[in-house]
């Protein structure tokens, strides 16, 4: 058994069962729904379907990251048990949580000088962040020590590719990620922006594609272009979605048809309440290992 724990934030958007099975620990972000506070607890407090329906009906949502005090309270029991910690945070390109975790690390390092506390900015989000954690769990289970795993993670995290599209720009407009005029026209013309996460962990619009049918084909084409070994890709593939399972399944079916050497079926998860508060319903995200991300 390893003498360290691997850990992440709830925004890795996997299921409780998956985290438990892989022995991955996590700490919850928070969100407000109509001014009522909830933990981002993988859909336990509010089922994802109910959450996205409330957004569609006009409910107001706000999110808050984990603060330094919460990290201290979360990390301390592991350290008291004599375990080291490797924690990955949600991308600094979309959240300030990395800084909070670093503050907690620095404070606890004084209290536990014999323990190792590694904090890494994942530069990842949603189930792409989850796919990275899954690979880290593989390395741990193979016997990799925490120092080597820390180095491996930093050297490989940018090879985790993120591609997204959305069929509803309402919440991207509300969050300021797309201008109101561009978003309104886009909705009228059925434009589905194709986005990815760049090397700084920021969400970037790469193409504006008209109609859902075309963007589904294009996101799979992006995987063909950038996946490790192209159509011979033999790694895992995750998809997450916000209340649009049929769209996610359409992408998964195309991928399983085009990539016969996949490591298992495409795994489909829900975009959680924190990431979903910013995307709203109608977003599909695709994650796989491939070419190193660029600006």
């Amino acid at each position: 058994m390893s003498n360290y724990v691997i850990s992440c934030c709830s925004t890795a958007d996997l299921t409780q069962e998956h985290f438990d099975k892989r022995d991955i620990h996590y700490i919850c972000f928070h969100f407000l729904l109509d001014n009522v506070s909830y933990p981002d607890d993988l859909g336990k407090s509010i089922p994802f379907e109910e959450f996205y329906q409330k957004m569609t009906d006009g409910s107001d949502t706000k999110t808050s990251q984990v603060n330094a005090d919460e990290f201290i309270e979360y990390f301390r029991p592991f350290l008291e048990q004599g375990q080291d910690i490797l924690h990955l945070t949600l991308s600094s390109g979309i959240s300030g949580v990395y800084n909070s975790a670093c503050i907690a690390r620095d404070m606890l390092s004084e209290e536990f000088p014999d323990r190792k506390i590694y904090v890494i900015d994942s530069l990842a989000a949603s189930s792409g962040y989850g796919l990275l954690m899954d690979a880290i769990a593989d390395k741990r289970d193979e016997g990799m020590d925490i120092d080597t795993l820390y180095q491996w993670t930093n050297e490989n995290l940018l090879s985790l590719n993120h591609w997204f599209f959305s069929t509803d720009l309402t919440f991207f407009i509300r969050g300021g990620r797309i201008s109101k005029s561009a978003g309104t026209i886009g909705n009228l013309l059925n434009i589905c922006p194709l986005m990815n996460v760049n090397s700084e962990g920021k969400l970037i619009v790469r193409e504006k594609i008209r109609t859902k049918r075309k963007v589904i084909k294009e996101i799979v084409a992006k995987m063909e272009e950038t996946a490790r070994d192209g159509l011979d890709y033999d790694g895992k593939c995750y998809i997450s979605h916000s209340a649009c399972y049929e769209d996610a399944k359409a992408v998964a079916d195309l991928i399983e048809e085009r990539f016969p050497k996949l490591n298992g079926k495409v795994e489909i998860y829900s975009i959680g309440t924190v990431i979903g508060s910013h995307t709203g319903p109608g977003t599909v995200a695709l994650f796989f290992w491939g070419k190193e991300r660029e600006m």
Side-chain angles (χ1 to χ4, degrees), residues 43 46-57 241-243 245 270-271 273 281:
I46 297 180
F48 296 125
E49 296 82 1
E50 180 181 343
F51 172 76
Y52 286 114
Q53 186 60 54
K54 285 182 177 295
M55 289 189 75
T56 299
D57 294 341
H241 70 96
S242 53
Y245 176 81
S270 289
I271 294 176
T273 48

Side-chain angles (χ1 to χ4, degrees), residues 106-179:
D106 294 345
M107 294 181 70
L108 287 169
S109 292
E110 296 180 5
E111 185 177 346
F112 298 91
D114 296 328
R115 297 268 58 84
K116 296 174 182 177
I117 310 171
Y118 288 129
V119 176
I120 299 176
D121 177 0
S122 74
L123 299 175
S126 194
S127 300
Y129 181 12
L131 182 53
L132 177 58
M133 292 305 303
D134 201 67
I136 289 169
D138 287 339
K139 297 297 181 183
R140 176 207 57 200
D141 293 349
E142 291 167 7
M144 189 174 283
D145 63 81
I146 190 171
D147 301 297
T148 307
L149 184 51
Y150 173 73
Q151 181 179 352
W152 180 90
T153 303
N154 279 305
E155 290 175 350
N156 287 275
L157 57 83
L158 285 179
S159 295
L160 200 289
N161 282 225
H162 301 53
W163 286 93
F164 301 74
F165 69 80
S166 182
T167 58
D168 185 348
L169 305 183
T170 302
F171 293 92
F172 288 88
I173 298 168
R174 188 176 297 178
R177 287 171 172 78
I178 296 176
S179 70

Side-chain angles (χ1 to χ4, degrees), residues 2-267:
S2 63
N3 63 341
Y4 64 92
V5 298
I6 60 173
S7 172
C8 62
C9 303
S10 57
T11 43
D13 288 351
L14 299 178
T15 63
Q16 181 73 59
E17 293 76 18
H18 193 123
F19 282 128
D20 290 345
K21 181 179 179 180
R22 298 312 314 270
D23 193 20
I24 299 170
H25 298 267
Y26 67 92
I27 185 170
C28 292
F29 268 57
H30 318 279
F31 68 97
L32 289 174
L33 181 64
D34 293 330
N35 292 317
V36 178
S37 179
Y38 298 91
D40 176 43
D41 57 2
L42 315 180
K44 290 193 284 289
S45 292
I46 297 180
F48 296 125
E49 296 82 1
E50 180 181 343
F51 172 76
Y52 286 114
Q53 186 60 54
K54 285 182 177 295
M55 289 189 75
T56 299
D57 294 341
S59 290
D60 182 53
T61 60
K62 295 180 181 178
T63 62
S64 61
Q65 66 190 39
V66 184
N67 62 42
D69 288 340
E70 289 173 308
F71 271 117
I72 289 171
E73 182 179 352
Y74 170 70
F75 286 153
R76 178 175 276 114
F78 300 125
L79 303 171
E80 290 175 340
Q81 294 165 18
Q83 294 179 296
D84 297 327
I85 299 169
L86 176 65
H87 181 83
L88 275 73
T89 69
L90 178 65
S91 172
S92 62
I94 58 178
S95 170
V97 71
Y98 173 69
N99 292 329
S100 297
C102 288
I103 292 169
R105 174 202 62 199
D106 294 345
M107 294 181 70
L108 287 169
S109 292
E110 296 180 5
E111 185 177 346
F112 298 91
D114 296 328
R115 297 268 58 84
K116 296 174 182 177
I117 310 171
Y118 288 129
V119 176
I120 299 176
D121 177 0
S122 74
L123 299 175
S126 194
S127 300
Y129 181 12
L131 182 53
L132 177 58
M133 292 305 303
D134 201 67
I136 289 169
D138 287 339
K139 297 297 181 183
R140 176 207 57 200
D141 293 349
E142 291 167 7
M144 189 174 283
D145 63 81
I146 190 171
D147 301 297
T148 307
L149 184 51
Y150 173 73
Q151 181 179 352
W152 180 90
T153 303
N154 279 305
E155 290 175 350
N156 287 275
L157 57 83
L158 285 179
S159 295
L160 200 289
N161 282 225
H162 301 53
W163 286 93
F164 301 74
F165 69 80
S166 182
T167 58
D168 185 348
L169 305 183
T170 302
F171 293 92
F172 288 88
I173 298 168
R174 188 176 297 178
R177 287 171 172 78
I178 296 176
S179 70
K180 185 174 181 179
S181 58
T184 300
I185 293 171
N187 278 333
L188 288 172
L189 296 179
N190 293 320
I191 291 175
C192 305
L194 183 61
M195 303 162 274
N196 77 346
V197 173
N198 71 2
S199 59
E200 294 183 339
K202 297 177 180 178
L203 188 62
I204 306 295
V205 176
R206 298 300 187 183
E207 297 181 31
K208 299 174 182 177
I209 299 172
R210 195 170 182 184
T211 77
K212 179 168 63 178
R213 181 180 62 83
K214 289 181 180 178
V215 79
I216 286 174
K217 290 183 177 179
E218 186 58 29
I219 199 171
V220 176
K222 292 299 183 187
M223 183 171 174
E224 293 178 16
E225 293 172 17
T226 59
R228 182 180 62 206
D229 300 321
L231 292 173
D232 288 327
Y233 177 69
D234 60 359
K236 294 181 180 179
C237 178
Y238 287 1
I239 291 175
S240 58
H241 70 96
S242 53
C244 52
Y245 176 81
E246 292 304 320
D247 295 341
K249 184 65 166 57
V251 175
D253 288 346
L254 276 177
I255 290 170
E256 290 173 1
E257 178 184 326
R258 300 302 299 276
F259 294 86
K261 297 182 180 180
L262 277 178
N263 182 358
K265 294 284 189 178
V266 176
E267 297 184 30

